[in-house]
Amino acid sequence: MGEGTDEGGARPGEERVALPERFDAGLYFIGRIRTPWTRREDCPKNAGASDALVTIELDPRWQAGLAELETCSHVIVLYWMDRAPRDLVVQKPAHYAHGRGTFALRSPARPNPIALSVAELIGIEGARLTLRGLDCLDGTPLLDLKPYFASVDAKPEAHVGWRESERGGAARN
Amino acid sequence: MGEGTDEGGARPGEERVALPERFDAGLYFIGRIRTPWTRREDCPKNAGASDALVTIELDPRWQAGLAELETCSHVIVLYWMDRAPRDLVVQKPAHYAHGRGTFALRSPARPNPIALSVAELIGIEGARLTLRGLDCLDGTPLLDLKPYFASVDAKPEAHVGWRESERGGAARN
């Protein structure tokens, strides 16, 4: 399996590390996410910014696993950012003033490029799900679906200090 | 790599499928979660039920990735449930009336046994993090850390219909 790196040396504000020699576990792609966006620059800046409906095509092998998911209003979607480099530990998105640690960012570039979105579940037909609130590229591999439990997953009081300083104390988004 | 299955045939209320012949991508274990619980039956029933402090020991290779994570009040922790079977699509936890689809449950048993917890970040020293709100076994492999963004991750209005019927319409937790 390739290392998923799509870039060469580090740019200013970035830091790379040598990757481990081997993987420790394996993933199955269990479906694909179908979105209107085929180029990275077309994707919404964040999932909350788009009302677009997207479709998840689950591999029929796993279809029985959807039973009663239709009773859930929101779903946690885990997916695989297969184009992201995995060796970046400090990175500087273009609109940020300086580099920050990968684990302080939601960038797709991370040792295990697993992305997470909380999406509104609109409906399920067979092995096809319709959702709102995903912003990934068309064809993105799906890893998992989980019910969103407000009692443990919703922390409306949470804050991200660096975002507030980046924006001069403006709204958190 | 093994398939992570730790059980034989399906029990009443359960359904298993044949797993794909090969993996599609590979994961690195980037650290270990240190908790007071060494047996599954000792783990808290859910993360919200324990005030215990737990420690994450990040592999020093990735330590630079923590920069500015200390400004975050809450962290999304992704970890690998390496003892869970991966072929269960319908399962019936002992305290439930009937089987439900894997994707409607937060059970560790799923095609890709990636678990997710939202934990309160207490502090970071070097490559060691102290957190509250994790309920996994001691030694559990770490996959990722992400900042929790209330603006997109907190959905306090979310509901899980089957939980309400399971409890006769009682509190959601």
Side-chain angles (χ1 to χ4, degrees), chain A residues 1 18-20 23-29 61 65 67-69 71 73 86 89 98 100-104 106 110 112 114 116 143-148 151 153 155 158-159 161-162 173, chain B residues 1 18-20 23-29 61 65 67-69 71 73 86 89 98 100-104 106 110 112 114 116 143-148 151 153 155 158-159 161-162 173:
Chain A
M1 278 177 286
L19 290 173
F23 293 125
D24 297 298
L27 291 170
Y28 303 119
F29 295 164
R61 176 196 303 267
E68 298 196 41
L69 182 62
T71 72
S73 67
R86 299 177 70 161
V89 286
H98 60 271
R100 293 194 169 87
T102 289
F103 302 120
R106 291 289 275 267
R110 46 211 317 118
N112 294 305
I114 302 168
L116 174 165
L143 298 178
D144 199 8
L145 299 167
K146 301 178 190 291
Y148 185 94
S151 56
D153 298 323
K155 305 287 182 188
H159 64 269
W162 67 255
N173 183 29
Chain B
M1 280 177 284
L19 290 173
F23 293 124
D24 297 299
L27 291 170
Y28 303 120
F29 295 164
R61 177 195 303 266
E68 297 196 42
L69 182 61
T71 72
S73 66
R86 300 177 70 161
V89 286
H98 60 271
R100 292 193 169 87
T102 288
F103 302 121
R106 292 288 277 266
R110 47 211 317 119
N112 294 305
I114 302 167
L116 175 164
L143 297 179
D144 199 9
L145 299 167
K146 300 178 190 292
Y148 184 94
S151 56
D153 298 323
K155 306 286 182 188
H159 64 269
W162 66 255
N173 185 24

Coordinates of all heavy atoms in Angstrom, one line a residue, chain A residues 1 18-20 23-29 61 65 67-69 71 73 86 89 98 100-104 106 110 112 114 116 143-148 151 153 155 158-159 161-162 173, chain B residues 1 18-20 23-29 61 65 67-69 71 73 86 89 98 100-104 106 110 112 114 116 143-148 151 153 155 158-159 161-162 173:
Chain A
M1 N 0.8 -1.2 0.0 CA 0.0 0.0 0.0 C 0.9 1.2 0.0 O 1.9 1.3 0.7 CB -0.9 0.0 1.2 CG -2.1 -0.9 1.1 SD -3.2 -0.9 2.5 CE -2.2 -2.0 3.6
A18 N 9.6 11.2 9.3 CA 9.7 10.0 8.6 C 8.5 9.1 9.0 O 8.2 9.0 10.2 CB 11.0 9.3 8.9
L19 N 7.8 8.4 8.1 CA 6.7 7.6 8.4 C 7.2 6.2 9.0 O 8.3 5.8 8.6 CB 5.8 7.4 7.2 CG 5.0 8.6 6.8 CD1 4.3 8.3 5.5 CD2 4.0 9.0 7.9
P20 N 6.4 5.5 9.8 CA 6.8 4.2 10.2 C 7.0 3.3 9.0 O 6.4 3.5 7.9 CB 5.6 3.7 11.1 CG 4.9 5.0 11.5 CD 5.1 6.0 10.4
F23 N 2.4 -0.7 8.3 CA 1.1 -0.4 8.9 C 0.9 -1.3 10.1 O 1.4 -2.5 10.1 CB 0.0 -0.5 7.9 CG 0.1 0.6 6.8 CD1 0.1 0.2 5.5 CD2 0.1 1.9 7.1 CE1 0.2 1.2 4.5 CE2 0.1 2.9 6.1 CZ 0.2 2.5 4.8
D24 N 0.0 -0.9 11.0 CA -0.4 -1.7 12.1 C -1.7 -2.4 12.0 O -2.0 -3.3 12.8 CB -0.3 -0.9 13.4 CG 1.0 -0.3 13.7 OD1 2.0 -1.1 13.9 OD2 1.2 0.9 13.7
A25 N -2.6 -1.9 11.1 CA -3.9 -2.5 11.0 C -4.4 -2.1 9.6 O -3.9 -1.2 8.9 CB -4.9 -2.0 12.1
G26 N -5.5 -2.8 9.2 CA -6.0 -2.6 7.8 C -7.5 -2.1 7.8 O -8.2 -2.4 8.8
L27 N -7.8 -1.3 6.8 CA -9.2 -0.8 6.7 C -9.9 -1.4 5.5 O -9.2 -1.6 4.4 CB -9.1 0.7 6.5 CG -8.7 1.5 7.7 CD1 -8.4 3.0 7.3 CD2 -9.7 1.5 8.8
Y28 N -11.2 -1.5 5.6 CA -12.0 -1.8 4.4 C -12.7 -0.6 4.0 O -13.3 0.1 4.8 CB -13.1 -2.9 4.7 CG -12.6 -4.2 5.3 CD1 -12.9 -4.6 6.5 CD2 -11.7 -5.0 4.5 CE1 -12.4 -5.9 7.0 CE2 -11.3 -6.2 5.0 CZ -11.6 -6.6 6.2 OH -11.2 -7.8 6.7
F29 N -12.7 -0.3 2.7 CA -13.6 0.8 2.2 C -15.0 0.1 2.1 O -15.2 -0.8 1.3 CB -13.1 1.3 0.9 CG -11.8 2.0 0.9 CD1 -11.1 2.3 -0.2 CD2 -11.3 2.5 2.1 CE1 -9.9 3.0 -0.2 CE2 -10.1 3.1 2.2 CZ -9.3 3.4 1.0
R61 N -22.8 -5.6 0.7 CA -22.4 -6.5 1.7 C -22.8 -6.1 3.1 O -23.1 -7.0 3.9 CB -20.9 -6.6 1.6 CG -20.2 -7.5 2.6 CD -18.7 -7.2 2.7 NE -18.0 -7.4 1.4 CZ -17.4 -8.5 1.0 NH1 -17.4 -9.6 1.8 NH2 -16.8 -8.5 -0.1
G65 N -26.5 -3.8 8.1 CA -26.0 -3.0 9.2 C -26.7 -1.6 9.4 O -26.5 -0.9 10.3
A67 N -30.0 -1.3 9.7 CA -31.3 -1.5 10.3 C -31.5 -0.6 11.5 O -30.7 -0.6 12.5 CB -31.5 -2.9 10.7
E68 N -32.5 0.3 11.5 CA -32.8 1.2 12.6 C -32.0 2.5 12.6 O -32.2 3.4 13.4 CB -32.9 0.6 14.0 CG -34.0 -0.5 14.0 CD -34.4 -0.9 15.4 OE1 -34.5 -0.1 16.3 OE2 -34.6 -2.2 15.6
L69 N -31.0 2.6 11.7 CA -30.3 3.9 11.6 C -31.2 5.0 11.1 O -31.0 6.1 11.4 CB -29.1 3.7 10.6 CG -28.2 5.0 10.5 CD1 -27.6 5.4 11.8 CD2 -27.1 4.8 9.4
T71 N -33.9 5.8 12.3 CA -34.5 6.5 13.4 C -33.6 7.6 14.0 O -34.0 8.3 14.9 CB -34.9 5.5 14.5 OG1 -33.7 5.1 15.2 CG2 -35.6 4.3 14.0
S73 N -31.5 11.1 13.8 CA -31.5 12.4 13.1 C -30.2 12.8 12.5 O -30.1 13.5 11.5 CB -32.1 13.5 14.0 OG -31.1 13.8 15.1
R86 N 0.6 12.0 4.7 CA 0.5 11.5 6.1 C 1.7 11.9 7.0 O 1.7 11.5 8.2 CB 0.4 10.0 6.0 CG -0.9 9.6 5.2 CD -1.1 8.1 5.1 NE -1.4 7.4 6.3 CZ -1.9 6.2 6.4 NH1 -2.2 5.6 5.3 NH2 -2.2 5.7 7.5
V89 N 3.5 17.0 10.3 CA 3.1 17.2 11.7 C 2.8 18.6 12.1 O 2.1 18.9 13.1 CB 4.2 16.6 12.7 CG1 4.1 15.1 12.7 CG2 5.6 17.1 12.4
H98 N 0.4 31.3 10.9 CA 1.6 30.5 11.2 C 1.2 29.1 11.2 O 0.0 28.7 11.3 CB 2.3 31.0 12.4 CG 1.5 30.9 13.7 ND1 0.7 31.9 14.1 CD2 1.4 29.8 14.5 CE1 0.1 31.5 15.2 NE2 0.5 30.3 15.5
R100 N 0.6 25.3 12.6 CA 0.1 24.7 13.9 C 0.3 23.1 13.8 O 0.3 22.6 12.7 CB -1.3 25.0 14.1 CG -1.5 26.5 14.4 CD -2.9 26.8 14.9 NE -2.9 28.2 15.4 CZ -3.2 29.2 14.6 NH1 -3.5 29.1 13.4 NH2 -3.1 30.4 15.1
G101 N 0.2 22.5 14.9 CA 0.3 21.0 15.0 C -0.9 20.4 14.3 O -2.0 20.9 14.4
T102 N -0.6 19.3 13.6 CA -1.6 18.6 12.9 C -2.8 18.2 13.7 O -4.0 18.3 13.3 CB -1.0 17.3 12.3 OG1 -0.1 17.7 11.2 CG2 -2.0 16.3 11.8
F103 N -2.5 17.8 15.0 CA -3.6 17.4 15.9 C -4.5 18.5 16.4 O -5.5 18.3 17.1 CB -3.1 16.5 17.0 CG -2.3 15.3 16.6 CD1 -1.0 15.2 16.9 CD2 -2.9 14.4 15.7 CE1 -0.3 14.1 16.4 CE2 -2.2 13.3 15.3 CZ -0.9 13.1 15.6
A104 N -4.0 19.8 16.2 CA -4.8 21.0 16.6 C -5.7 21.4 15.4 O -6.4 22.4 15.5 CB -3.9 22.1 17.0
R106 N -8.1 20.4 11.7 CA -9.0 19.4 11.0 C -8.6 19.1 9.6 O -9.3 18.5 8.8 CB -10.4 19.9 11.1 CG -11.0 19.8 12.5 CD -11.2 18.5 13.1 NE -12.5 17.9 12.7 CZ -13.6 18.0 13.4 NH1 -13.6 18.6 14.6 NH2 -14.7 17.5 12.9
R110 N -2.8 14.0 7.9 CA -2.6 13.6 9.3 C -2.1 12.1 9.1 O -2.2 11.5 8.1 CB -3.8 13.7 10.1 CG -5.1 13.2 9.5 CD -6.3 13.9 10.0 NE -6.3 14.2 11.4 CZ -6.3 15.4 12.0 NH1 -6.3 16.5 11.2 NH2 -6.3 15.6 13.3
N112 N -3.1 9.3 10.1 CA -4.2 8.4 9.6 C -5.3 9.4 9.1 O -6.0 9.9 9.9 CB -4.7 7.5 10.8 CG -3.7 6.5 11.2 OD1 -3.2 5.7 10.4 ND2 -3.4 6.5 12.5
I114 N -8.2 10.0 8.5 CA -9.6 9.7 8.8 C -10.3 11.0 9.0 O -10.0 11.7 9.9 CB -9.8 8.8 10.0 CG1 -9.0 7.5 9.8 CG2 -11.3 8.5 10.3 CD1 -8.9 6.7 11.1
L116 N -13.9 13.2 9.8 CA -15.2 13.0 10.5 C -16.1 14.2 10.3 O -15.7 15.3 10.4 CB -14.8 13.0 12.0 CG -15.8 12.9 13.1 CD1 -15.1 12.5 14.4 CD2 -16.5 14.2 13.3
L143 N -15.7 4.8 5.6 CA -15.1 3.9 6.6 C -16.1 3.4 7.6 O -16.1 2.3 8.1 CB -13.9 4.6 7.3 CG -12.7 5.0 6.5 CD1 -11.7 5.6 7.4 CD2 -12.1 3.7 5.8
D144 N -17.0 4.3 8.0 CA -17.9 4.0 9.1 C -19.1 5.0 9.2 O -18.9 6.1 8.7 CB -17.2 4.0 10.5 CG -17.9 3.2 11.6 OD1 -18.9 2.5 11.3 OD2 -17.4 3.2 12.7
L145 N -20.2 4.5 9.7 CA -21.3 5.3 10.1 C -21.7 5.0 11.5 O -21.7 3.8 11.9 CB -22.5 5.0 9.2 CG -22.4 5.2 7.7 CD1 -23.5 4.5 6.9 CD2 -22.3 6.6 7.3
K146 N -22.0 6.0 12.3 CA -22.4 5.8 13.7 C -23.5 6.7 14.0 O -23.6 7.9 13.5 CB -21.2 6.2 14.7 CG -19.9 5.5 14.5 CD -18.9 6.0 15.5 CE -17.5 5.5 15.2 NZ -17.3 4.1 15.5
P147 N -24.4 6.3 14.9 CA -25.5 7.2 15.4 C -24.8 8.3 16.3 O -23.9 8.0 17.0 CB -26.3 6.3 16.2 CG -25.4 5.2 16.7 CD -24.4 5.0 15.6
Y148 N -25.3 9.5 16.1 CA -24.8 10.7 16.9 C -25.6 10.7 18.2 O -26.9 10.8 18.2 CB -25.0 12.0 16.2 CG -24.4 13.2 16.9 CD1 -23.1 13.6 16.6 CD2 -25.2 13.9 17.8 CE1 -22.6 14.8 17.2 CE2 -24.7 15.1 18.4 CZ -23.4 15.5 18.1 OH -22.9 16.6 18.7
S151 N -26.0 13.1 24.1 CA -25.6 13.0 25.5 C -24.1 13.0 25.7 O -23.6 13.5 26.7 CB -26.3 11.8 26.1 OG -26.0 10.6 25.4
D153 N -21.8 13.2 22.6 CA -21.1 13.8 21.5 C -21.3 15.3 21.4 O -20.5 16.0 20.7 CB -21.6 13.2 20.2 CG -21.3 11.7 20.1 OD1 -20.3 11.3 20.6 OD2 -22.2 10.9 19.6
K155 N -21.0 18.9 22.7 CA -20.3 19.7 23.7 C -20.4 21.2 23.3 O -19.4 21.7 22.8 CB -18.8 19.3 23.9 CG -18.6 17.8 24.2 CD -19.0 17.5 25.6 CE -18.8 16.0 25.9 NZ -19.3 15.6 27.2
A158 N -17.7 23.8 24.1 CA -16.2 23.6 23.8 C -15.7 24.8 23.0 O -16.4 25.4 22.3 CB -16.1 22.3 22.9
H159 N -14.4 25.1 23.3 CA -13.8 26.2 22.6 C -12.4 25.8 22.1 O -11.8 24.9 22.6 CB -13.8 27.5 23.4 CG -13.0 27.3 24.6 ND1 -13.5 26.9 25.8 CD2 -11.6 27.6 24.8 CE1 -12.5 26.9 26.7 NE2 -11.4 27.3 26.2
G161 N -9.0 27.7 21.5 CA -8.4 29.0 21.8 C -7.7 29.6 20.6 O -7.8 30.8 20.3
W162 N -6.9 28.7 19.8 CA -6.2 29.3 18.7 C -7.1 29.9 17.7 O -6.7 30.9 17.0 CB -5.2 28.3 18.1 CG -5.7 27.1 17.4 CD1 -5.8 25.8 17.9 CD2 -6.3 27.1 16.1 NE1 -6.4 25.0 16.9 CE2 -6.7 25.8 15.8 CE3 -6.5 28.1 15.1 CZ2 -7.3 25.4 14.6 CZ3 -7.1 27.7 13.9 CH2 -7.5 26.3 13.7
N173 N -17.2 30.6 14.5 CA -17.6 29.7 13.4 C -17.8 28.3 14.0 O -17.2 27.3 13.5 CB -16.6 29.7 12.3 CG -17.1 28.8 11.1 OD1 -18.3 28.7 11.0 ND2 -16.2 28.2 10.4
Chain B
M1 N -2.2 -9.4 8.2 CA -2.9 -8.9 9.3 C -4.2 -9.8 9.6 O -4.8 -10.2 8.6 CB -3.4 -7.5 9.0 CG -2.2 -6.5 9.3 SD -2.7 -4.8 8.9 CE -2.6 -4.9 7.1
A18 N -19.5 -12.4 5.2 CA -18.2 -12.7 4.8 C -17.4 -11.4 4.6 O -17.9 -10.5 4.0 CB -18.1 -13.5 3.5
L19 N -16.2 -11.3 5.2 CA -15.4 -10.1 5.0 C -14.7 -10.1 3.6 O -14.5 -11.1 3.0 CB -14.3 -10.1 6.1 CG -14.8 -9.9 7.5 CD1 -13.7 -10.0 8.6 CD2 -15.5 -8.5 7.7
P20 N -14.4 -8.8 3.2 CA -13.7 -8.7 1.9 C -12.3 -9.5 2.0 O -11.8 -9.7 3.1 CB -13.4 -7.2 1.8 CG -14.5 -6.6 2.6 CD -14.7 -7.5 3.8
F23 N -7.6 -5.8 2.5 CA -7.7 -4.4 3.0 C -7.5 -3.4 1.9 O -6.8 -3.7 0.9 CB -6.8 -4.2 4.2 CG -7.0 -5.0 5.4 CD1 -6.1 -5.8 6.0 CD2 -8.3 -4.9 6.0 CE1 -6.3 -6.5 7.1 CE2 -8.5 -5.7 7.2 CZ -7.6 -6.5 7.7
D24 N -8.1 -2.2 2.1 CA -8.0 -1.2 1.1 C -7.0 -0.1 1.5 O -6.6 0.7 0.7 CB -9.4 -0.5 0.8 CG -10.3 -1.5 0.3 OD1 -10.1 -2.0 -0.8 OD2 -11.4 -1.8 0.9
A25 N -6.7 0.0 2.8 CA -5.8 1.0 3.2 C -5.2 0.6 4.6 O -5.7 -0.3 5.2 CB -6.5 2.4 3.4
G26 N -4.1 1.3 5.0 CA -3.4 0.9 6.2 C -3.4 2.0 7.3 O -3.4 3.2 6.9
L27 N -3.4 1.6 8.5 CA -3.3 2.5 9.7 C -2.0 2.4 10.4 O -1.5 1.3 10.6 CB -4.5 2.2 10.6 CG -5.9 2.4 10.1 CD1 -6.9 1.8 11.1 CD2 -6.1 3.9 10.0
Y28 N -1.6 3.5 10.9 CA -0.5 3.5 11.9 C -1.1 3.7 13.3 O -2.0 4.5 13.5 CB 0.4 4.7 11.7 CG 1.1 4.7 10.3 CD1 0.9 5.8 9.5 CD2 1.9 3.7 9.9 CE1 1.4 5.9 8.2 CE2 2.5 3.8 8.6 CZ 2.2 4.9 7.8 OH 2.8 5.0 6.6
F29 N -0.6 2.9 14.3 CA -1.0 3.2 15.7 C 0.0 4.3 16.1 O 1.2 4.1 16.1 CB -0.8 1.9 16.5 CG -1.7 0.8 16.2 CD1 -1.5 -0.5 16.7 CD2 -2.9 1.1 15.5 CE1 -2.4 -1.5 16.4 CE2 -3.8 0.0 15.2 CZ -3.6 -1.2 15.6
R61 N 7.5 10.4 17.8 CA 7.6 10.7 16.4 C 6.6 11.8 16.0 O 6.9 12.7 15.1 CB 7.3 9.5 15.5 CG 7.3 9.7 14.0 CD 6.6 8.5 13.3 NE 7.2 7.2 13.7 CZ 8.1 6.6 12.9 NH1 8.6 7.2 11.8 NH2 8.6 5.4 13.3
G65 N 3.1 17.5 16.3 CA 1.7 17.6 15.9 C 0.8 18.1 17.0 O -0.4 18.5 16.7
A67 N 1.3 20.9 18.8 CA 1.4 22.3 19.0 C 0.1 23.1 18.9 O -0.6 23.0 17.8 CB 2.4 22.9 18.0
E68 N -0.3 23.8 19.9 CA -1.5 24.6 20.0 C -2.8 23.7 20.3 O -3.8 24.3 20.5 CB -1.7 25.5 18.9 CG -0.6 26.5 18.8 CD -0.9 27.8 17.9 OE1 -2.0 28.3 18.0 OE2 0.0 28.2 17.2
L69 N -2.6 22.4 20.4 CA -3.8 21.6 20.8 C -4.2 22.0 22.3 O -5.3 21.9 22.7 CB -3.5 20.1 20.7 CG -4.7 19.2 21.1 CD1 -5.9 19.4 20.2 CD2 -4.2 17.7 21.0
T71 N -4.7 24.7 23.5 CA -5.7 25.7 23.6 C -7.1 25.2 23.4 O -8.1 26.0 23.5 CB -5.4 26.8 22.5 OG1 -5.8 26.3 21.2 CG2 -4.0 27.3 22.5
S73 N -10.4 23.0 24.5 CA -11.1 22.5 25.7 C -11.5 21.0 25.5 O -11.5 20.2 26.5 CB -12.3 23.3 26.1 OG -13.3 23.1 25.1
R86 N -15.2 -8.0 13.2 CA -15.5 -7.1 12.1 C -16.6 -7.5 11.2 O -17.0 -6.8 10.2 CB -14.2 -6.8 11.3 CG -13.1 -6.2 12.2 CD -11.8 -6.0 11.5 NE -11.9 -4.9 10.6 CZ -10.8 -4.3 10.1 NH1 -9.6 -4.7 10.5 NH2 -10.9 -3.3 9.2
V89 N -23.0 -7.6 11.2 CA -23.8 -6.5 10.7 C -25.1 -6.2 11.5 O -25.6 -5.1 11.4 CB -24.1 -6.7 9.2 CG1 -22.9 -6.4 8.3 CG2 -24.7 -8.1 8.9
H98 N -33.9 -6.5 21.0 CA -33.7 -7.3 19.8 C -32.4 -6.7 19.1 O -31.9 -5.7 19.5 CB -34.9 -7.2 18.9 CG -35.3 -5.7 18.5 ND1 -36.1 -4.9 19.3 CD2 -34.9 -5.0 17.5 CE1 -36.2 -3.7 18.7 NE2 -35.5 -3.7 17.6
R100 N -30.0 -5.0 16.3 CA -30.1 -3.8 15.5 C -28.8 -3.7 14.5 O -27.8 -4.4 14.8 CB -30.0 -2.5 16.3 CG -31.3 -2.3 17.1 CD -31.5 -1.0 17.8 NE -32.8 -0.9 18.3 CZ -33.2 -1.2 19.5 NH1 -32.3 -1.8 20.3 NH2 -34.4 -1.1 19.9
G101 N -28.9 -2.9 13.5 CA -27.8 -2.8 12.6 C -26.6 -2.2 13.2 O -26.7 -1.3 14.1
T102 N -25.4 -2.7 12.8 CA -24.2 -2.2 13.4 C -24.0 -0.7 13.3 O -23.5 0.0 14.2 CB -23.0 -2.9 12.6 OG1 -23.0 -4.3 13.1 CG2 -21.7 -2.3 12.9
F103 N -24.5 -0.1 12.1 CA -24.3 1.3 11.9 C -25.3 2.2 12.8 O -25.2 3.4 12.8 CB -24.4 1.7 10.5 CG -23.4 0.9 9.6 CD1 -23.8 0.1 8.6 CD2 -22.0 1.0 9.9 CE1 -22.9 -0.6 7.8 CE2 -21.1 0.3 9.1 CZ -21.5 -0.5 8.1
A104 N -26.3 1.5 13.4 CA -27.2 2.2 14.3 C -26.7 2.1 15.7 O -27.3 2.7 16.6 CB -28.6 1.6 14.2
R106 N -23.2 2.0 18.7 CA -21.8 2.5 18.9 C -20.9 1.3 19.4 O -19.8 1.5 19.9 CB -21.8 3.6 19.9 CG -22.4 4.9 19.4 CD -21.5 5.6 18.3 NE -20.5 6.4 19.0 CZ -20.7 7.7 19.2 NH1 -21.7 8.3 18.8 NH2 -19.7 8.4 19.8
R110 N -17.6 -3.6 14.3 CA -18.0 -3.0 13.1 C -16.9 -3.3 12.0 O -15.8 -3.7 12.4 CB -18.2 -1.5 13.3 CG -17.1 -0.8 14.0 CD -17.7 0.4 14.9 NE -18.6 1.2 14.1 CZ -19.9 1.4 14.6 NH1 -20.3 0.9 15.7 NH2 -20.8 2.1 13.9
N112 N -14.9 -1.5 10.3 CA -13.6 -0.8 10.7 C -13.8 -0.4 12.1 O -14.5 0.6 12.4 CB -13.4 0.4 9.8 CG -13.1 -0.1 8.4 OD1 -12.2 -0.9 8.1 ND2 -13.9 0.5 7.4
I114 N -13.2 1.5 14.4 CA -12.7 2.8 14.9 C -13.7 3.4 15.9 O -14.8 3.5 15.6 CB -12.5 3.8 13.7 CG1 -11.6 3.2 12.6 CG2 -12.1 5.1 14.2 CD1 -11.7 4.0 11.3
L116 N -14.8 6.4 18.7 CA -14.7 7.8 18.7 C -15.2 8.3 20.1 O -16.3 7.9 20.5 CB -15.6 8.4 17.6 CG -15.8 9.9 17.5 CD1 -16.4 10.2 16.1 CD2 -16.8 10.4 18.5
L143 N -5.4 6.3 17.1 CA -5.4 6.6 15.7 C -5.3 8.0 15.3 O -4.6 8.4 14.4 CB -6.6 6.0 15.0 CG -6.8 4.5 15.1 CD1 -8.1 4.1 14.4 CD2 -5.6 3.7 14.5
D144 N -6.0 8.9 16.1 CA -6.0 10.3 15.7 C -6.5 11.1 16.9 O -7.2 10.6 17.8 CB -6.9 10.5 14.5 CG -6.7 11.8 13.8 OD1 -5.7 12.5 14.1 OD2 -7.5 12.1 12.9
L145 N -6.1 12.4 16.9 CA -6.6 13.4 17.8 C -7.0 14.6 16.9 O -6.3 15.0 16.0 CB -5.5 13.9 18.8 CG -4.9 12.8 19.7 CD1 -3.7 13.4 20.4 CD2 -5.9 12.4 20.8
K146 N -8.2 15.2 17.2 CA -8.7 16.3 16.5 C -9.3 17.3 17.4 O -9.9 16.9 18.4 CB -9.8 15.9 15.5 CG -9.5 14.9 14.5 CD -10.8 14.6 13.6 CE -10.6 13.4 12.7 NZ -9.6 13.6 11.6
P147 N -9.2 18.6 17.1 CA -9.9 19.6 17.9 C -11.4 19.5 17.7 O -11.8 19.2 16.6 CB -9.3 21.0 17.4 CG -9.0 20.7 16.0 CD -8.5 19.2 16.0
Y148 N -12.1 19.7 18.8 CA -13.6 19.6 18.7 C -14.1 21.0 18.4 O -13.8 21.9 19.2 CB -14.2 19.1 20.0 CG -15.7 18.9 20.0 CD1 -16.2 17.7 19.8 CD2 -16.5 20.0 20.3 CE1 -17.6 17.5 19.8 CE2 -17.9 19.8 20.4 CZ -18.5 18.6 20.1 OH -19.8 18.4 20.1
S151 N -19.0 24.5 16.6 CA -19.9 25.0 15.5 C -20.3 24.0 14.5 O -21.4 24.1 13.9 CB -19.1 26.1 14.7 OG -17.9 25.6 14.2
D153 N -19.5 20.3 15.2 CA -19.6 19.0 15.9 C -20.7 18.9 16.9 O -21.1 17.8 17.3 CB -18.2 18.7 16.5 CG -17.1 18.6 15.5 OD1 -17.3 18.1 14.4 OD2 -16.0 19.1 15.9
K155 N -24.4 19.0 18.1 CA -25.7 19.0 17.6 C -26.6 18.5 18.8 O -27.1 17.4 18.9 CB -25.9 18.0 16.5 CG -25.0 18.1 15.3 CD -25.3 19.3 14.4 CE -24.4 19.5 13.3 NZ -24.6 20.7 12.5
A158 N -29.9 16.6 18.3 CA -29.9 15.3 17.7 C -30.7 14.3 18.5 O -30.6 14.3 19.8 CB -28.5 14.8 17.4
H159 N -31.4 13.4 17.9 CA -32.1 12.3 18.6 C -31.9 11.0 17.9 O -31.7 10.9 16.7 CB -33.5 12.6 18.9 CG -34.3 12.7 17.6 ND1 -34.5 13.9 16.9 CD2 -35.0 11.8 16.9 CE1 -35.2 13.6 15.9 NE2 -35.6 12.4 15.8
G161 N -34.0 7.7 17.6 CA -35.4 7.2 17.8 C -35.4 5.8 18.5 O -36.2 5.6 19.5
W162 N -34.5 4.9 18.1 CA -34.6 3.6 18.7 C -34.3 3.6 20.2 O -34.8 2.7 20.9 CB -33.8 2.5 17.9 CG -32.3 2.7 17.9 CD1 -31.5 3.2 16.9 CD2 -31.4 2.4 19.0 NE1 -30.2 3.2 17.3 CE2 -30.1 2.7 18.6 CE3 -31.6 1.8 20.3 CZ2 -29.0 2.5 19.4 CZ3 -30.4 1.7 21.1 CH2 -29.2 2.0 20.6
N173 N -30.2 10.0 27.2 CA -28.8 9.6 27.4 C -28.2 8.9 26.3 O -27.8 7.7 26.4 CB -28.6 8.8 28.7 CG -27.1 8.6 29.0 OD1 -26.3 9.4 28.6 ND2 -26.8 7.5 29.7

